[in-house]
Amino acid sequence: MGIKLKVDKDLCVGCGLCVGSYAEAFAFDDENKAEVIGELDEATAEEAIASCPAGAISK
């Protein structure tokens, strides 16, 4: 079962790390902020959360 993460748009700086690394789960919206488009497995979700430099990704 996958985990659908959340992106806090107020914290997102649009760096693109999540979009580039986890394209199956994130894309850019019209404001060049990350948005969730899919799910990740537990381990990969934890990696995505930890890799966000702005701390904008959460469960």
Side-chain angles (χ1 to χ4, degrees):
M1 183 171 119
I3 296 172
K4 190 155 190 165
L5 297 172
K6 299 173 191 160
V7 174
D8 184 328
K9 301 282 183 165
D10 292 331
L11 294 177
C12 179
V13 296
C15 73
L17 186 62
C18 61
V19 175
S21 299
Y22 310 100
E24 68 276 20
F26 299 97
F28 283 120
D29 66 10
D30 294 338
E31 298 176 350
N32 288 324
K33 303 269 184 145
E35 66 179 350
V36 178
I37 60 166
E39 298 179 343
L40 295 170
D41 64 56
E42 179 73 33
T44 308
E46 293 297 333
E47 289 174 11
I49 291 167
S51 71
C52 179
I57 301 172
S58 64
K59 288 186 184 176

